[in-house]
Amino acid sequence: MSHLDSDVTTPLLRDDDGDYRSRWRSIRVMYFTMFLSSVFIGFKVDSSADASFLGWMVAAYSLGQMVASPLFGLWSNHRLRREPLVCSIFINLAANIYYAYAYLPRTNNKYHMLLSRAFVGFGAGNVAVARSYIAGATSLKERTGAMANMSACQALGFILGPALQACLSFIGEKGVTVNVIDLQLNMYTTPALLAAAFGLINILLVLLVFKEHSVDEEGRNVQSINYSSEDRVSLLDETEESIDHFAVLISNVLFFTIMFIFAVFETIATPLSMDMFAWTRKEAVLYNGIIMCGIGFQSILVFLAVKAASQRFGDRPVLLVGFSVILCGFVVLLPWGNHFPKIQWADLRNNSLVSRLSEISLAANNSSEPTGCPYEQTWCQYTPAIHLAQYISSDILIGVGYPACNVMSYTLYSKILGPKPQGVYMGWLTASGSAARTLGPVFVSHVYTLLGPRWAFSLICGMVVGAIVLLTSFYSRLIAFSVRHGRVVE
């Protein structure tokens, strides 16, 4: 007899209309929380910040989230989820206000910017709580759809963050100053203050609308996993022993790979397009911003398609197809042919040669910004150029494969864990993704600068192939808890 059939299970209750509506209202509050946690606000630091410090600025968010996710997950396992949610949202709210005032110090305000970014990331550790709540508040049949909706909200946050900042750019970098509260409203601080205002709304929703709900794998109400009776503790102890921890480890490795690949993809876009297409930095930011917005909207459509595909074919086949599409995207991006990028010649007056080509080019373009592949990157002289059609085709393919892998990886992960409270496990999954988003930019910036796109993308292709081999090798282990224990036929 299975655990859920024994006399020590928590009582099963009928999910009446009132409970059903309350449960889905609470799930939608988690959608909103995920959306706000994903809104990225651009930043500007003082002129003393070098490239290395800017790298730390980018990494600070992921580092903060990596530290916070397991902590908030552990908290949510033993207390009402409302507590870590309100605490984390308040940290995020305060961090955005801190960012808005970081300009006040006369010097070295970059360190205040860095701290504010880290605290925003720390507050975003609540995504582990949101995912664990949805995993516990949905049946197996509902879960893929709910996880896909959550991913769509996350993608919408990624899209609307830069879009909001672009819409508010008319305020300018100086903006206006509210002397009464020493606040400067400009194109950088205004989005942060709006994020803080939405954070306040989020706290009110969590306090007034959000309710604790837990259902079994068939959608029947059970006692909340945050309240433990002696029977419940006995059940959880047995569940702990029966979780396939090797499958949990494999799932974390796969999720790390997915997030690492996407971090590389979004990091390399600007320098790659500047080197290959001789775009100025302003053009690269504008055109890649348009492309990323398009990919974001495309990913929302993919999330909707994934819900239908997973019901028809299952989670693992969709995950495998997603990895295969990502592999195709990076294979397409490999340089080929005999057309080479335009070289941005260096001015070597003190040592050897002064290139007149750069002077002629600059005069012809009437521009003070040199364009093309920098002469110092020696691979520019022998590596074929990547064509614009290649670049856009690759973006489309990766924009299909990534969201499919993203939602399937943690949907499958939640099913592997079964009825056990998932806060800590979801915290580790989020932490592995944050670690990937920290290491990915470091990896690609070094390999791309030293060895070029052929080596960088070949290594990524090798990484994706490794993930596909890992997935196929342990395909039979990556199954839902209830399937492994014979309560549900896959």
Side-chain angles (χ1 to χ4, degrees):
M1 183 179 291
S2 67
H3 297 315
L4 292 180
D5 292 328
S6 67
D7 293 331
V8 298
T9 57
T10 53
L12 297 175
L13 305 172
R14 185 171 63 87
D15 191 9
D16 59 30
D17 289 342
D19 284 337
Y20 181 85
R21 287 194 296 268
S22 174
R23 179 163 64 91
W24 279 98
R25 278 197 300 268
S26 299
I27 289 172
R28 292 181 184 108
V29 171
M30 293 300 95
Y31 292 164
F32 185 65
T33 302
M34 176 65 83
F35 166 76
L36 288 184
S37 297
S38 306
V39 173
F40 177 82
I41 303 299
F43 53 86
K44 180 186 178 182
V45 296
D46 59 44
S47 57
S48 65
D50 56 14
S52 175
F53 190 86
L54 289 174
W56 282 108
M57 284 286 293
V58 172
Y61 177 93
S62 296
L63 288 172
Q65 189 179 50
M66 183 172 64
V67 171
S69 297
L71 299 178
F72 287 131
L74 180 63
W75 188 353
S76 73
N77 273 6
H78 298 284
R79 298 286 298 177
L80 292 171
R81 290 191 182 89
R82 182 179 288 111
E83 295 176 8
L85 284 170
V86 170
C87 178
S88 59
I89 297 167
F90 180 79
I91 291 172
N92 195 297
L93 183 156
N96 277 302
I97 295 175
Y98 178 28
Y99 170 86
Y101 280 97
Y103 75 95
L104 284 177
R106 297 293 183 182
T107 57
N108 288 328
N109 67 353
K110 62 183 182 181
Y111 296 110
H112 295 282
M113 296 282 188
L114 180 66
L115 282 174
S116 68
R117 286 282 299 160
F119 281 123
V120 168
F122 194 91
N126 60 18
V127 299
V129 182
R131 285 172 177 164
S132 69
Y133 177 79
I134 288 183
T138 53
S139 65
L140 284 180
K141 187 176 181 180
E142 296 169 330
R143 190 158 316 155
T144 300
M147 291 291 190
N149 291 340
M150 177 170 276
S151 294
C153 292
Q154 188 176 29
L156 198 61
F158 288 142
I159 295 168
L160 294 184
L164 176 64
Q165 195 152 27
C167 291
L168 294 172
S169 61
F170 71 91
I171 301 175
E173 293 192 7
K174 291 186 178 181
V176 296
T177 302
V178 183
N179 294 320
V180 177
I181 54 175
D182 284 332
L183 178 63
Q184 185 177 5
L185 293 174
N186 58 33
M187 61 183 291
Y188 298 105
T189 60
T190 305
L193 292 171
L194 283 176
F198 281 118
L200 182 60
I201 294 172
N202 198 6
I203 289 175
L204 293 175
L205 289 173
V206 171
L207 291 174
L208 301 177
V209 178
F210 178 81
K211 304 292 182 185
E212 294 284 348
H213 289 279
S214 183
V215 301
D216 69 357
E217 292 165 332
E218 295 185 6
R220 295 170 296 182
N221 280 344
V222 297
Q223 287 180 0
S224 173
I225 58 178
N226 299 79
Y227 294 94
S228 296
S229 64
E230 291 181 1
D231 290 342
R232 186 53 155 170
V233 172
S234 174
L235 175 63
L236 292 184
D237 289 341
E238 293 177 20
T239 303
E240 173 69 34
E241 295 174 357
S242 60
I243 289 176
D244 188 346
H245 287 94
F246 186 74
V248 170
L249 176 62
I250 296 299
S251 299
N252 273 277
V253 172
L254 292 175
F255 189 71
F256 176 91
T257 305
I258 294 164
M259 298 307 294
F260 186 93
I261 290 167
F262 186 73
V264 168
F265 171 66
E266 64 180 357
T267 301
I268 200 63
T270 296
L272 178 69
S273 56
M274 290 175 66
D275 292 346
M276 293 295 150
F277 314 131
W279 289 347
T280 64
R281 180 167 296 278
K282 183 177 180 180
E283 290 172 335
V285 170
L286 173 62
Y287 298 150
N288 281 299
I290 294 171
I291 291 172
M292 289 300 291
C293 281
I295 291 173
F297 284 113
Q298 173 188 283
S299 68
I300 294 174
L301 298 177
V302 172
F303 290 134
L304 298 176
V306 159
K307 289 197 288 186
S310 65
Q311 290 179 357
R312 182 176 178 84
F313 303 107
D315 297 337
R316 292 173 297 171
V318 175
L319 181 59
L320 185 58
V321 169
F323 272 118
S324 301
V325 174
I326 290 175
L327 178 61
C328 292
F330 278 100
V331 168
V332 166
L333 202 53
L334 290 171
W336 55 274
N338 54 12
H339 173 70
F340 295 91
K342 172 191 172 185
I343 304 297
Q344 179 191 130
W345 293 99
D347 188 359
L348 306 177
R349 293 182 186 277
N350 294 331
N351 296 323
S352 55
L353 174 67
V354 177
S355 174
R356 299 293 299 172
L357 294 176
S358 61
E359 297 177 12
I360 295 171
S361 175
L362 289 179
N365 293 331
N366 192 26
S367 171
S368 59
E369 181 181 354
T371 59
C373 201
Y375 178 81
E376 307 85 57
Q377 296 177 172
T378 55
W379 56 263
C380 294
Q381 301 170 51
Y382 57 80
T383 301
I386 294 172
H387 301 273
L388 184 58
Q390 280 180 269
Y391 182 67
I392 294 176
S393 299
S394 174
D395 287 346
I396 293 172
L397 288 170
I398 296 171
V400 170
Y402 166 73
C405 288
N406 180 276
V407 67
M408 283 298 100
S409 59
Y410 60 75
T411 299
L412 187 58
Y413 185 72
S414 72
K415 293 179 180 180
I416 290 170
L417 295 176
K420 177 182 170 58
Q422 298 184 8
V424 173
Y425 285 98
M426 284 295 180
W428 287 118
L429 186 74
T430 304
S432 69
S434 299
R437 291 180 68 89
T438 303
L439 296 175
V442 176
F443 162 83
V444 73
S445 61
H446 282 79
V447 175
Y448 176 81
T449 301
L450 294 175
L451 302 174
R454 180 172 283 165
W455 270 98
F457 300 144
S458 294
L459 290 172
I460 293 297
C461 287
M463 193 177 218
V464 179
V465 169
I468 292 173
V469 170
L470 187 67
L471 175 57
T472 53
S473 299
F474 301 103
Y475 195 82
S476 60
R477 299 284 292 269
L478 301 175
I479 55 176
F481 181 91
S482 56
V483 173
R484 190 163 64 88
H485 287 274
R487 293 199 296 272
V488 176
V489 177
E490 189 174 24

